[in-house]
Amino acid sequence: MIPGGRARRALLWLAVHATAVAIGVMFLAPLAFMLLTAVMTDRQALSGELWPRGWHLANFAEVFGGDMVRWTVNSTVYAGLSTLFMLVSSVPVAYALARFRFRGRGPALVVVISAMMLPPQVTMVPLYIVWARLGLTGTLWPLIVPQLFGDAFSIFLLRQFLVTIPREYADAARVDGCGELRTMLRVILPMAKPALAAVALFQFFYCWNDYFRPLVYADPDHWTLAIGVATFRAAHHVEWNLTMAATLLTILPVLVVFFLAQRVFIQGVTLTGVKG
Amino acid sequence: MASLSARLPLPGARGGTAAARARRRRRLRILAFLSPWLAGFGLFFVYPLAATVYFSFTRYNLFTLEYVGLDNYAYLLHDRDAWTAMRNTLWLVAVLVPLRVLFGLGAAQLLTRIKRGAGVLRSVLYLPYLVPPVSATVAFVFLLNPGTGPLPALSARLGIPLPDFFNDAAWAKPGLTLLGLWAVGDVMIIMLAALLNVPASLYEAAAIDGAGAWARFRHITLPTVSPVLAFSAVTGVIETLQYFTQPMVAGKVASGRADLPGVQYSPGYPDGSTLTFPQWLYDQGFRQFNMGYACVLALVMFATAMAFTVFLLRRFRAFAGEEAR
């Protein structure tokens, strides 16, 4: 042992923890400042003062009227239906890729991963033309309907989870006379609940946060929260307090769900990137 | 399943023809399971990709279509904005991606060193990643806005003036980089999981051999996490090629313009400094309705993304994880 090792270790402990606290504060500061600004009067929000003089909670009520309600409904419809459609279509595909052996399975997986990496902008022009011919541009349907045809990211993530379930379970179900569909629904999927919850959450938040596709397709009646909030400041000129209140209102549901389902979320993220 | 059905006689199995029937049934079943994706693959991948190639040789505005050969491709060579967009994207790939990977690794390493409060800190670092990108961008433009934003006010009090991030062409991309670093939670979590996979016995053995902290990091940590580093670097590049929401919203909010009736916003504020390739594609295709030219831009994006995807697929075996348990 080096002499003075203990002092050095104590110093290291202090440095590590000081850095941790500093980084933690830096990461929370933007959220804290947003909250403080959201409860200021509009005059004060422009003054560069940091601490609110009085808590104007009425700002939230003012923001959450009119358009904001419609945007929230649109976002919920878009994200909710997309998630439902994605689960119905992607689960059997992931199941097949994970549990059946067939020729072309390898290439199929490679194609799924390539599709996952494909920027949505690449195929956007022809798809827009199709939806325009169908007379559905301006609505949310061009965003929701494609989910009935499987989502590459969800298929990949679910498949990664399903291959880890031992084959013996399915074999046992087979011996008991279960068909393949029953085996999937009754035996395998209940075991895959955390993975299902993770992909559902990812899909929901992906749509909740999506800005590009609603921007291309939706008319102002079908605007989602993401578009509404991006436009908020232009409509409310310099009212930063209201802008921050609106912004916080879009974050809130995400944070609530995250704290309720933290474990599922983090499991899902690591499942995509780790394994090796 | 396949092996089992080969061994166990299926109900009603009677010799060769029945086996053939069973095989056909099995094939149909697999097709049925795969059918949503097979249909989707054709409708939302093969068809649009082929159509993109076709439209790239035309001038098309949804109403009139005219075959123009390679005109759109020739125009790309002279399109100043497309080159600006490419330069900006390269800047972000060169600066934002490495910074995110390094910071993510550093934060994860820090987390492994902490015993009490690690769970809280992990949540705090992950939280910003969950904030909807539009909301995060709106907030950052305000927070860093000189004169009214709290952060410049705070730093001015400390005697360190901040630049005018989202209104100064030289500082708009660094501003977006700060935003990207704030939302580093995804990278951090992946790195943390990789670091926790390193067996502690390796470190103990190295410590007994007298390896210093740097040597241990260099020879034990780095080799074990390098596949994850490569994975997040390549996915980071692919995400940066699609970088749309943050620069678009930052430009809109900072300039005070938006797609309201009667107000038009051209992406790239200030001075084209935040113009990225997908924004230019969006502008050409869905605002100017130069569908043909937008398809050329789409094909450039496709080629670049594919190149990186192929690189990533070489590592596919590593993270595909056949029968892990």
Side-chain angles (χ1 to χ4, degrees):
Chain A
M1 213 69 271
I2 319 145
R6 229 167 120 190
R8 240 178 58 183
R9 227 175 309 141
L11 214 63
L12 189 68
W13 185 93
L14 199 68
V16 164
H17 285 74
T19 316
V21 170
I23 289 181
V25 168
M26 271 159 51
F27 269 63
L28 282 181
L31 290 169
F33 281 126
M34 284 166 78
L35 185 62
L36 293 176
T37 308
V39 295
M40 290 178 178
T41 60
D42 56 340
R43 295 264 304 277
Q44 203 203 344
L46 285 174
S47 68
E49 282 176 53
L50 299 179
W51 198 256
R53 274 175 279 153
W55 297 71
H56 296 265
L57 294 172
N59 287 346
F60 288 100
E62 188 177 337
V63 164
F64 203 81
D67 289 342
M68 192 91 173
V69 175
R70 190 158 37 92
W71 298 335
T72 309
V73 171
N74 288 337
S75 280
T76 312
V77 168
Y78 169 31
L81 278 182
S82 294
T83 306
L84 189 71
F85 286 5
M86 178 282 288
L87 282 178
V88 171
S89 61
S90 300
V91 164
V93 179
Y95 184 80
L97 288 177
R99 329 245 352 145
F100 296 153
R101 301 192 169 281
F102 56 92
R103 229 183 313 146
R105 188 179 70 155
L109 251 176
V110 170
V111 174
V112 167
I113 294 177
S114 313
M116 194 166 90
M117 302 295 172
L118 184 78
Q121 289 90 355
V122 171
T123 51
M124 208 64 165
V125 172
L127 291 178
Y128 183 86
I129 293 169
V130 170
W131 291 112
R133 290 225 182 111
L134 292 172
L136 286 172
T137 43
T139 70
L140 289 171
W141 292 113
L143 314 178
I144 299 170
V145 172
Q147 296 305 324
L148 275 175
F149 298 92
D151 170 69
F153 173 76
S154 309
I155 292 173
F156 174 68
L157 202 145
L158 275 174
R159 186 255 170 206
Q160 292 298 85
F161 186 85
L162 290 178
V163 287
T164 66
I165 296 178
R167 266 163 195 285
E168 286 73 22
Y169 288 103
D171 293 346
R174 162 63 57 84
V175 171
D176 288 346
C178 272
E180 203 57 66
L181 196 63
R182 270 245 307 258
T183 309
M184 176 179 94
L185 292 175
R186 293 284 166 78
V187 181
I188 304 297
L189 289 190
M191 281 191 269
K193 265 188 203 148
L196 289 172
V199 290
L201 281 176
F202 279 130
Q203 178 74 13
F204 191 90
F205 285 139
Y206 178 81
C207 297
W208 188 265
N209 294 343
D210 189 12
Y211 174 71
F212 176 66
R213 290 184 301 175
L215 189 66
V216 169
Y217 285 115
D219 61 14
D221 280 340
H222 295 88
W223 273 1
T224 58
L225 268 176
I227 303 202
V229 168
T231 311
F232 202 85
R233 203 228 152 183
H236 291 252
H237 299 289
V238 288
E239 292 169 307
W240 279 116
N241 57 336
L242 295 188
T243 307
M244 285 304 112
T247 312
L248 279 175
L249 283 176
T250 65
I251 303 175
L252 204 64
V254 180
L255 296 193
V256 168
V257 174
F258 172 64
F259 280 111
L260 292 178
Q262 213 186 114
R263 190 181 298 256
V264 165
F265 233 99
I266 287 176
Q267 219 173 22
V269 183
T270 44
L271 204 57
T272 47
V274 178
K275 262 295 109 210
Chain B
M1 264 128 270
S3 55
L4 195 77
S5 53
R7 262 182 279 125
L8 282 179
L10 288 167
R14 266 176 282 112
T17 47
R21 212 179 310 135
R23 220 177 305 127
R24 197 160 353 110
R25 258 222 324 264
R26 202 181 83 87
R27 224 174 279 148
L28 274 176
R29 198 173 56 211
I30 292 174
L31 269 177
F33 273 77
L34 291 176
S35 60
W37 176 71
L38 287 173
F41 181 67
L43 284 172
F44 298 102
F45 194 95
V46 176
Y47 160 70
L49 213 53
T52 300
V53 174
Y54 169 70
F55 286 126
S56 75
F57 299 115
T58 67
R59 189 173 297 138
Y60 185 39
N61 61 6
L62 278 183
F63 301 106
T64 58
L65 187 140
E66 182 192 350
Y67 184 80
V68 294
L70 290 171
D71 280 10
N72 287 325
Y73 291 87
Y75 181 72
L76 175 68
L77 300 177
H78 305 288
D79 183 359
R80 277 261 209 70
D81 293 299
W83 291 104
T84 305
M86 263 183 237
R87 266 200 307 278
N88 287 336
T89 303
L90 276 180
W91 190 100
L92 291 161
V93 166
V95 177
L96 181 58
V97 177
L99 277 181
R100 266 172 63 87
V101 172
L102 288 178
F103 189 80
L105 179 63
Q109 184 81 28
L110 185 74
L111 275 169
T112 62
R113 292 301 209 82
I114 295 171
K115 293 213 175 59
R116 223 176 318 152
V120 177
L121 184 63
R122 194 189 63 189
S123 295
V124 166
L125 289 174
Y126 190 67
L127 207 69
Y129 169 68
L130 296 169
V131 172
V134 169
S135 311
T137 312
V138 173
F140 262 60
V141 173
F142 166 66
L143 294 171
L144 294 171
N145 188 33
T148 58
L151 288 176
L154 193 67
S155 70
R157 242 172 259 184
L158 299 171
I160 329 159
L162 286 180
D164 187 355
F165 276 105
F166 292 100
N167 292 300
D168 180 341
W171 286 96
K173 281 190 291 285
L176 290 170
T177 306
L178 283 182
L179 179 59
L181 284 178
W182 188 56
V184 78
D186 54 337
V187 181
M188 184 266 302
I189 286 287
I190 294 175
M191 298 286 173
L192 183 61
L195 286 179
L196 294 177
N197 266 346
V198 182
S201 58
L202 277 181
Y203 288 119
E204 282 155 22
I208 291 167
D209 289 346
W214 171 248
R216 268 174 291 169
F217 178 76
R218 172 79 189 72
H219 297 291
I220 299 173
T221 313
L222 218 49
T224 9
V225 299
S226 71
V228 182
L229 278 179
F231 177 82
S232 28
V234 177
T235 46
V237 171
I238 294 170
E239 277 164 25
T240 308
L241 294 178
Q242 310 174 21
Y243 202 50
F244 180 86
T245 304
Q246 290 90 337
M248 191 80 171
V249 175
K252 277 185 183 176
V253 177
S255 66
R257 284 162 166 271
D259 296 315
L260 288 170
V263 193
Q264 283 278 306
Y265 166 73
S266 303
Y269 177 86
D271 283 337
S273 61
T274 59
L275 183 67
T276 59
F277 212 71
Q279 285 182 89
W280 189 232
L281 193 161
Y282 165 78
D283 196 72
Q284 287 300 305
F286 307 106
R287 295 271 303 278
Q288 320 288 337
F289 290 102
N290 294 328
M291 297 294 199
Y293 183 57
C295 283
V296 172
L297 298 174
L299 289 174
V300 172
M301 272 188 85
F302 177 67
T304 325
M306 270 329 268
F308 282 102
T309 304
V310 167
F311 180 82
L312 188 65
L313 283 176
R314 297 215 167 159
R315 299 191 161 271
F316 173 60
R317 273 169 172 275
F319 71 91
E322 285 292 328
E323 268 82 36
R325 230 172 277 157

